[in-house]
Amino acid sequence: MNATTRTLWRDGLWTNNPGLVQLLGLCPLLAVTGTAINGLGLGLATLAVLAASNVLVSLLRHQVAAELRIPVFVLIIATLVTVVDRILAAFFYDLWTTLGIFIPLIVTNCTLLARAEAFASRRPVIDALHDGLAQGLGFLLVLVVLGSLRELIGQGSLLAGADQLFGPAAAGLTLQLFPEQHGLLLAILPPGAFIGLGLLVALRQHLHTRRPAPRSAPSTEPAGTSAPGPETA
Amino acid sequence: MRSFRQHPLPVLGLVAAAAAVLLAGVHQWTAGPIAEQAEQRAHATLTQLLAEGSYDNDPIHDRFPAWIAGLEPPSTIHRARRAGEPIALLADVTTTEGYSGPIRLLIALRPDGEVIGVRVLEHRETPGLGDRIESDRSDWIRQFEGRALGDPPAGDWRPDRRGGAFDTLSSATITSAAVIDAIGRVLAWQRANRERIFEIPASQE
């Protein structure tokens, strides 16, 4: 792993995490994280789309004129999301029913267009792939951590519905740590999502500022793109 | 020769064509499995309410649309028969009286109007409160089994919190009322149409 790759992974997972630092893709992030498995399912779908769209955008970067970039990127992202949606419906029907509208809505996840525009359209394919995987994994981890917290506090279980993702044999993975009726209902409801995400952002910020700055090269981000911006979709 | 970059439209066309080809391929590949999954799901719900072997037709396709007062139109009525004789009707209905969003129910009745069972197919009620209408979260939905219009009388198809005859889920009166009301409406519709329900030809795809 060379220095660039290492920086890309550190950016995606920590320094410039899409969920906790860029605060992109909040709509699905807050909506589906009622359980860890829902978070994992949407996280994997987003990861696959992000990695594939980064690679395709990077491959086409010399062919696509500047004024055509956005339409082409949107077309690529929408196509990939449709492919993932159909595959989930065909082979993970229960999970697909649970995640519902949030699979097609991956199209509107700003992380995808942001990575295509700010990174993949200017970088070689291999970097774009690493960036897509790192950013996707960063997003997935936030989904899973927030989903686990809300599920644990709200209904006292972990990995409920594991069979939806891993087949009937995985139903035994579900842990019921305390009876469901003792859960804190607020955690499952939408306010719980906001409070949980706020706490995670604060925790990350706390750990980040306490840690000495890494000695290696500065972020590979072009100036301006790593600043958290307002959500546009 | 000018480079690709100066011909934006062909590039857009090519990308669009490639996307269309890819999607057509994926559709070819997944359409079968998706239809199969949906069918399996419908079948699994059905057999929760009707014992396997109590019917010999295909209730999923022996169906027709119905307009039932007070419910989201159209409802779908499925029929189960054995050797041509009516066994049960299954009403797939949606009520909009719930607390948050539509509630879709599958209500199974005997031809004489007795409730065999009720299952919630889709809902967006509050987790922890309204979602106890699901059969795997509480037994609340089972209180209708064996009841009919007249047992209790039509006016009592309301939650006890509102002076009716049925148990109310605590902190979910609106949800409870919506489900009870929908069942009552299906029963009233069944009573009014009981002569015709098993005569109407099944709708074609």
Side-chain angles (χ1 to χ4, degrees):
Chain A
M1 227 191 229
N2 63 35
T4 316
T5 317
R6 222 177 5 247
T7 318
L8 286 178
W9 279 90
R10 190 183 306 119
D11 270 353
L13 296 181
W14 186 258
T15 323
N16 193 25
N17 182 294
L20 294 183
V21 181
Q22 304 173 67
L23 297 177
L24 291 177
L26 288 191
C27 170
L29 188 124
L30 294 168
V32 305
T33 49
T35 68
I37 290 294
N38 285 0
L40 182 60
L42 190 78
L44 288 173
T46 310
L47 171 68
V49 173
L50 187 54
S53 86
N54 261 11
V55 167
L56 288 176
V57 164
S58 175
L59 280 173
L60 288 171
R61 71 190 185 283
H62 296 307
Q63 272 69 49
V64 179
E67 60 270 28
L68 219 57
R69 280 203 323 267
I70 300 295
V72 169
F73 296 169
V74 170
L75 191 56
I76 290 174
I77 293 169
T79 308
L80 291 170
V81 169
T82 312
V83 170
V84 167
D85 178 68
R86 294 292 83 191
I87 291 176
L88 281 177
F91 304 107
F92 301 94
Y93 193 81
D94 289 317
L95 185 71
W96 178 77
T97 335
T98 316
L99 293 177
I101 187 67
F102 291 100
I103 293 291
L105 278 183
I106 292 175
V107 176
T108 66
N109 186 329
C110 306
T111 312
L112 287 117
L113 200 57
R115 296 326 289 172
E117 172 69 13
F119 192 91
S121 65
R122 300 145 201 246
R123 304 296 286 263
V125 174
I126 187 76
D127 287 355
L129 175 63
H130 277 295
D131 179 73
L133 291 173
Q135 295 279 335
L137 192 64
F139 190 62
L140 180 146
L141 288 176
V142 177
L143 283 167
V144 172
V145 170
L146 188 57
S148 309
L149 280 176
R150 291 178 64 194
E151 186 183 342
L152 183 63
I153 299 171
Q155 57 189 49
S157 65
L158 268 181
L159 297 174
D163 48 323
Q164 294 181 354
L165 198 54
F166 303 114
L173 285 177
T174 304
L175 301 170
Q176 190 73 40
L177 297 166
F178 57 83
E180 186 175 339
Q181 58 269 31
H182 295 159
L184 181 66
L185 183 60
L186 180 71
I188 302 282
L189 298 178
F194 283 95
I195 295 168
L197 180 69
L199 291 174
L200 285 183
V201 170
L203 177 67
R204 183 210 158 273
Q205 202 69 15
H206 174 69
L207 295 174
H208 189 66
T209 48
R210 231 182 36 170
R211 222 169 53 157
R215 279 168 297 135
S216 62
S219 165
T220 53
E221 290 300 299
T225 55
S226 61
E231 180 103 336
T232 51
Chain B
M1 186 180 150
R2 297 200 297 168
S3 85
F4 254 143
R5 287 183 87 97
Q6 283 150 308
H7 292 287
L9 285 180
V11 173
L12 186 58
L14 280 177
V15 173
V21 170
L22 177 66
L23 288 180
V26 169
H27 179 69
Q28 280 286 325
W29 173 42
T30 56
I34 292 173
E36 214 169 279
Q37 293 273 10
E39 189 103 329
Q40 264 180 26
R41 169 63 75 86
H43 194 76
T45 315
L46 214 67
T47 46
Q48 273 187 33
L49 292 169
L50 299 182
E52 191 92 58
S54 66
Y55 55 92
D56 60 7
N57 69 331
D58 172 13
I60 293 171
H61 293 108
D62 187 352
R63 62 170 182 220
F64 63 90
W67 279 258
I68 301 177
L71 298 171
E72 270 292 279
S75 305
T76 306
I77 308 296
H78 299 270
R79 292 164 295 189
R81 311 167 195 262
R82 185 157 64 183
E85 286 303 303
I87 296 289
L89 73 93
L90 298 115
D92 182 342
V93 303
T94 301
T95 170
T96 52
E97 301 290 313
Y99 186 67
S100 53
I103 303 175
R104 191 170 151 220
L105 301 165
L106 188 68
I107 300 169
L109 307 179
R110 288 188 211 293
D112 65 2
E114 182 191 329
V115 177
I116 298 173
V118 182
R119 288 293 177 275
V120 178
L121 299 179
E122 285 167 34
H123 75 88
R124 275 180 282 162
E125 300 306 295
T126 317
L129 300 174
D131 68 352
R132 282 171 295 162
I133 54 176
E134 291 174 28
S135 62
D136 43 8
R137 289 189 185 272
S138 88
D139 280 340
W140 182 83
I141 199 85
R142 294 182 173 273
Q143 65 177 315
F144 305 104
E145 291 169 11
R147 311 303 286 272
L149 214 58
D151 168 33
D156 285 347
W157 279 81
R158 281 182 293 164
D160 51 13
R161 199 71 56 82
R162 293 186 181 168
F166 291 100
D167 185 36
T168 316
L169 284 170
S170 53
S171 312
T173 311
I174 296 176
T175 309
S176 310
V179 172
I180 298 169
D181 173 75
I183 300 170
R185 286 177 185 280
V186 170
L187 287 170
W189 175 86
Q190 190 269 346
R191 171 174 283 185
N193 295 283
R194 93 168 75 179
E195 305 303 323
R196 307 190 301 128
I197 287 172
F198 286 89
E199 310 301 326
I200 297 170
S203 50
Q204 304 299 315
E205 282 299 310

